[in-house]
Amino acid sequence: MAIEAKRARAAKIISVDPRFTRTSAVADLFCQIRAGTDIAFLGGVINYAIENNRIAKDYVVDYTNAAFIVKNDFKLPTDTDGVFSGFDAGKQTYDRSTWNYAAAAESSRVRPRPVPCRPCRKRSITT
């Protein structure tokens, strides 16, 4: 199927795998990554796509959770003394209320539209 897309629509095939596979042999780009680094690689690809406007913005906003914004109170360990926001040193626990998404009033998030689908076919039921 990927080969058909490559031939018919001039699609580019990128193979990301620690091993050189049959797909890698026909790919336009083979990215050999170390095992366990796939999430970091994917994060870089997503960052590149967003920074260079290579995303379907309407789809991302309407059908994924990428449009949700984390509360302004949330802090990463690099912003604090090596712990996430909400850490209570006395109890050695976290108050996770700062980890939630911002409320509708705090963000400009619009409710997603329903996903369009084909109507179901009616089946005749015989007894």
Side-chain angles (χ1 to χ4, degrees):
M1 188 165 154
I3 301 302
E4 292 175 22
K6 183 176 179 178
R7 288 184 189 139
R9 297 188 303 267
K12 299 283 184 188
I13 296 177
I14 301 172
S15 174
V16 180
D17 201 316
R19 300 164 291 132
F20 190 82
T21 62
R22 291 188 305 174
T23 303
S24 304
V26 297
D28 296 300
L29 180 62
F30 170 55
C31 300
Q32 187 171 18
I33 60 173
R34 294 176 62 181
T37 62
D38 50 344
I39 296 301
F41 181 84
L42 180 61
V45 170
I46 291 170
N47 184 49
Y48 173 83
I50 291 170
E51 293 288 324
N52 293 288
N53 200 24
R54 302 274 189 172
I55 59 171
K57 187 173 182 180
D58 291 335
Y59 178 84
V60 170
V61 169
D62 292 338
Y63 300 110
T64 70
N65 67 350
F68 287 100
I69 299 171
V70 177
K71 287 185 175 183
N72 289 333
D73 298 342
F74 178 74
K75 301 289 184 238
L76 291 169
T78 55
D79 301 329
T80 58
D81 294 327
V83 295
F84 289 97
S85 60
F87 183 70
D88 184 356
K91 295 180 183 177
Q92 293 290 308
T93 59
Y94 282 98
D95 172 19
R96 297 181 183 170
S97 62
T98 61
W99 300 2
N100 291 331
Y101 294 122
E106 298 176 47
S107 70
S108 60
R109 175 72 173 117
V110 180
R111 285 200 158 287
R113 297 184 306 253
V115 177
C117 63
R118 291 177 272 164
C120 299
R121 290 184 181 168
K122 291 184 179 178
R123 294 187 338 184
S124 60
I125 301 175
T126 58
T127 53

